[in-house]
């Protein structure tokens, strides 16, 4: 018999079903709460609310576990392939050889942008924030591919997913080229996903950029480690927007905006700014740690803490290794890495961080790796978005396939004025 929860309000006891996930997490199903009791549940920032059931990603934040469709993240470390992981997340299983080939061909064939989209890039100031451009340009794709606004068949959905995953690379690279006043480099159909992105970022018309195998491996892994993280802020945004039946492009553009924030994906930029502050001698690591413990300062140790992980973020553990490895192989001695390790060491031994279970998160080391690859700091969150896109698409798809899907519409507890009357302007104080 399945479990039930009892809730007593004003002397009346109500019974609510308890649902259990495949890994044993349990939740009280409150879908009938308001109709049964007349009450709603108040949970600002949704710390206790499961907004949906999902088969895509499993996290156990206390144990530091993260699995995509059941596969532990660590299993992707030896043979990283972002395109396979994208397929896995979106379609629920690793692609077989035919599926992989078909999807790869679709990615290659869709890498180019409509020439008219270049005019849109040219309309942005060179100093425009890359995340603003990315969000706008993903929305703009809706104008260039109107046939993909309504997806009726699995074939149409796969075509739209491939188009978006392929084009986001080109959009990201063109955003960078525009900010530097560099000519846009067309995608090269001979190159696979990661190499093609690096080519569009760094080649010149007169000099081809030849990417290093270590760089490709690190970038592949970075994208995989960012590919999904269940109901985080940007993914919940994509689901929220998609719940109104907004199209895939519009929903993912909203995800980019949510990711931009410094408490979410934007933290990878803030981490580097923090490390640079310390490197430039404006503050010592100890002073920064002390400041981040003082609430009145408004300062936080960026790249530390997580809503879900109350133990090591497995992505941070893997990234720290990749970071050490890549810098050693490229012969780079980045002083920011030493500062990051020092901050981590101080924080992990400081009562404030230990008590609150604050550990390095995915953003703590990723920026140092991206710097080593030659990605400028203001593009870091764009790279996060490229990685997170398959997760957004997977969640949008899962939600859209659910026959019980309804528009997301939370309630509120109103705490404003009680009924009052309109006052003519001459009578107002
Ligand atoms: N530095 C200092 N103190 C912190 C930090 C931090 N980085 N993170 C949390 N705390 C403290 C809070 O002040 C609070 O203390 P209190 O209990 O004495 O009031 C306690 O730890 C709990 O923090 P909350 O803000 O309630 O935690 P929440 O789950 O709401 O926030 C978040 C999580 C946003 C990630 C937070 O830890 C943070 O701001 N970290 C820095 C930004 C960052 O790295 N973001 C990236 C997250 S990963 C991602 O989105 C990809």
């Amino acid at each position: 018999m399945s479990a039930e929860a009892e809730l007593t309000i004003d002397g009346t006891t109500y019974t609510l079903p308890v649902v259990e996930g495949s890994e044993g997490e349990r939740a009280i199903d409150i879908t009938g709460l308001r109709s049964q009791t007349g009450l709603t549940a108040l949970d600002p920032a949704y710390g206790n609310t499961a907004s949906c059931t999902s088969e895509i990603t499993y996290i156990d934040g206390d144990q530091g576990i993260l699995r995509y469709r059941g596969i532990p993240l660590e299993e992707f470390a030896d043979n990283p392939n972002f395109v396979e992981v994208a397929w896995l997340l979106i379609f629920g299983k690793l692609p077989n050889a035919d599926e992989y080939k078909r999807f790869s061909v679709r990615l290659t064939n869709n890498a180019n942008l409509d020439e008219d989209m270049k005019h849109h890039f040219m309309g942005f100031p060179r100093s425009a924030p890359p995340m603003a451009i990315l969000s706008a340009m993903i929305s703009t794709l809706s104008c260039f591919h109107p046939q993909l606004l309504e997806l009726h068949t699995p074939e149409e959905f796969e075509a739209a997913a491939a188009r978006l995953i392929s084009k986001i690379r080109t959009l990201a690279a063109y955003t960078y080229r525009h900010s530097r006043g560099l000519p846009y480099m067309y995608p090269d159909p001979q190159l696979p996903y990661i190499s093609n992105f690096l080519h569009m970022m760094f080649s010149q018309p007169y000099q081809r950029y030849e990417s290093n195998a270590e760089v490709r491996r690190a970038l592949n892994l970075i994208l995989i480690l960012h590919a999904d993280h269940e109901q985080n802020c940007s993914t919940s945004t994509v689901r929220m927007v998609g719940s109104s039946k907004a199209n895939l492009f519009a929903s993912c553009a909203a995800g980019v905006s949510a990711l931009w924030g410094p408490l979410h994906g934007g933290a990878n930029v803030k981490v580097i700014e923090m490390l640079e502050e310390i490197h430039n001698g404006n503050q010592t690591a100890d002073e920064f740690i002390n400041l981040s413990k003082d609430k009145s300062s408004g300062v936080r140790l960026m790249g530390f803490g997580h809503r879900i992980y109350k133990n090591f973020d497995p992505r941070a553990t893997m990234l720290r290794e990749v970071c050490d490895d890549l810098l050693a192989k490229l012969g780079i001695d980045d002083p920011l890495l030493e500062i990051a390790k020092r901050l981590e060491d101080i924080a992990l031994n400081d009562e404030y961080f230990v008590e609150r279970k604050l550990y390095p998160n995915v953003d703590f080391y990723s920026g140092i790796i991206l710097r080593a690859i030659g990605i400028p700091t203001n593009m870091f969150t764009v790279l996060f978005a490229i990685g997170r896109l398959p997760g957004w698409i997977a969640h949008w798809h899962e939600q859209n396939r659910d026959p019980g899907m309804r528009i997301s519409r939370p309630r509120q507890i109103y705490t404003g004025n009680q009924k009052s009357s309109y006052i003519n302007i001459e009578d107002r104080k």
Side-chain angles (χ1 to χ4, degrees), residues 206-259:
Y206 47 86
Q207 190 175 28
R208 197 175 166 85
Y209 171 87
E210 297 297 343
S211 63
N212 171 308
E214 294 303 331
V215 165
R216 292 196 300 271
R217 192 173 180 283
L219 193 51
N220 237 312
L221 199 55
I222 285 206
L223 296 187
I224 290 173
L225 297 182
H226 288 84
D228 192 43
H229 214 233
E230 47 117 306
Q231 309 308 320
N232 57 87
C233 176
S234 56
T235 303
S236 299
T237 301
V238 171
R239 276 189 178 259
M240 171 73 88
V241 175
S243 81
S244 74
K245 295 270 183 200
N247 69 70
L248 184 62
F249 301 117
S251 305
C252 290
V256 171
S257 298
L259 188 70

Side-chain angles (χ1 to χ4, degrees), residues 4 19 21 30 44 55 83 114 162 212 254 264 271 295 301 303 318 346 354 361 375 379 390 397 400 418 428:
E4 287 174 337
V19 291
I30 59 162
E55 296 178 356
V83 173
D114 189 298
N212 171 308
H264 192 13
V271 169
K295 298 253 164 48
L301 179 56
M318 288 171 78
I346 301 173
V354 174
N361 61 48
I375 311 277
M379 286 288 293
H397 186 45
N400 265 268
Q418 291 193 318
R428 289 175 214 160

Side-chain angles (χ1 to χ4, degrees), residues 100-306:
Y100 181 70
K101 190 164 173 220
R102 186 177 76 221
F103 199 60
S104 300
V105 169
R106 278 190 196 273
L107 294 179
T108 303
N109 292 346
N110 284 295
N112 226 342
L113 301 179
D114 189 298
E115 280 296 293
D116 285 347
M117 284 189 84
K118 282 190 188 165
H119 301 299
H120 291 259
F121 278 100
M122 288 168 190
F124 291 112
R126 288 230 176 120
S127 58
M131 287 296 273
I133 301 185
L134 188 67
S135 175
M137 294 307 277
I138 290 179
S139 251
T140 306
L141 286 175
S142 315
C143 313
F144 287 88
H145 306 287
Q147 77 283 12
L148 295 176
L149 297 192
E150 286 184 28
L151 307 174
H152 301 290
T153 62
E155 156 66 24
E156 284 172 353
F157 170 70
E158 190 182 316
R163 207 165 285 230
L164 198 42
I165 290 174
S166 186
K167 289 191 192 304
I168 194 173
R169 264 177 320 182
T170 320
L171 294 174
Y174 281 22
T175 299
Y176 166 68
R177 307 289 296 201
H178 176 71
S179 71
R180 298 286 163 113
L182 295 169
Y184 305 118
M185 294 302 299
Y186 286 106
D188 178 345
Q190 304 304 321
L191 294 176
Y193 194 86
I194 300 283
S195 313
N196 213 348
F197 170 66
L198 291 166
H199 156 69
M200 288 188 277
M201 285 286 289
F202 300 127
S203 282
Q204 301 296 348
Y206 47 86
Q207 190 175 28
R208 197 175 166 85
Y209 171 87
E210 297 297 343
S211 63
N212 171 308
E214 294 303 331
V215 165
R216 292 196 300 271
R217 192 173 180 283
L219 193 51
N220 237 312
L221 199 55
I222 285 206
L223 296 187
I224 290 173
L225 297 182
H226 288 84
D228 192 43
H229 214 233
E230 47 117 306
Q231 309 308 320
N232 57 87
C233 176
S234 56
T235 303
S236 299
T237 301
V238 171
R239 276 189 178 259
M240 171 73 88
V241 175
S243 81
S244 74
K245 295 270 183 200
N247 69 70
L248 184 62
F249 301 117
S251 305
C252 290
V256 171
S257 298
L259 188 70
W260 190 2
L263 295 189
H264 192 13
N268 58 13
V269 173
K270 296 288 170 199
V271 169
I272 295 295
E273 287 172 2
M274 168 184 87
L275 298 176
E276 277 172 341
E277 277 260 306
I278 296 170
H279 179 56
N280 294 340
N282 299 339
Q283 257 162 350
T284 65
D286 289 288
E287 280 166 356
F288 195 92
I289 292 279
N290 286 335
L291 206 60
S292 73
K293 295 192 301 188
D294 171 6
K295 298 253 164 48
S296 66
S297 72
V299 170
R300 283 196 165 187
L301 179 56
M302 298 312 283
F304 250 74
H306 200 276

